[in-house]
């Protein structure tokens, strides 16, 4: 498990989120809801693909685009179970959350 990295509000615009990703030099951002709980994970590729669509607007918010919104990996999950769930959902990364939904870190598959 790695540190969660940058976390942003899910009401942030796609353009601003892409700037944060580039500025922080990270492959993904964790999204937080209004209570600070993990609300999703978005990658640079997802943001770039969304910006290229005909439906794109500079006012589009992260909460309005399709992205991984869970279920996320529980902090009490066995590593094998977490890995199997990620492979079933074809995820390379998954937020690890505590029992209240707050992000503790990121679980990454290695091949």
């Amino acid at each position: 498990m790695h540190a969660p990295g940058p976390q942003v509000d899910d009401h942030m615009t796609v353009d601003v989120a892409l700037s944060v990703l580039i500025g922080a030099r990270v492959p993904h951002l964790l999204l937080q809801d209004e209570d600070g709980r993990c609300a999703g994970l978005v990658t640079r590729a997802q943001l770039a693909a969304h910006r290229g669509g005909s439906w794109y607007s500079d006012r589009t918010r992260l909460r309005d685009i399709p992205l991984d919104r869970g279920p996320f990996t529980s902090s009490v999950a066995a590593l094998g179970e977490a890995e199997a769930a990620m492979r079933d959902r074809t995820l390379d990364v998954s937020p690890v959350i505590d029992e209240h939904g707050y992000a503790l870190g990121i679980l990454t598959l290695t091949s």
Side-chain angles (χ1 to χ4, degrees), residues 29-102:
L29 294 172
L30 287 181
L31 308 184
Q32 295 178 333
D33 65 13
E34 60 277 352
D35 297 321
R37 291 183 176 89
C38 188
L41 181 137
V42 66
T43 66
R44 185 180 300 192
Q46 288 171 311
L47 294 178
H50 184 76
R51 282 183 72 197
S54 60
W55 58 87
Y56 174 73
S57 159
D58 62 355
R59 293 186 180 143
T60 302
R61 306 217 177 264
L62 293 173
R63 68 173 65 150
D64 299 327
I65 66 172
L67 51 92
D68 181 30
R69 297 187 190 279
F72 304 120
T73 304
S74 168
S75 60
V76 297
L79 186 56
E81 292 172 1
E83 179 182 358
M86 289 173 67
R87 290 192 191 284
D88 286 346
R89 293 181 57 214
T90 64
L91 298 174
D92 293 330
V93 295
S94 178
V96 177
I97 58 169
D98 66 13
E99 65 274 8
H100 303 290
Y102 295 100

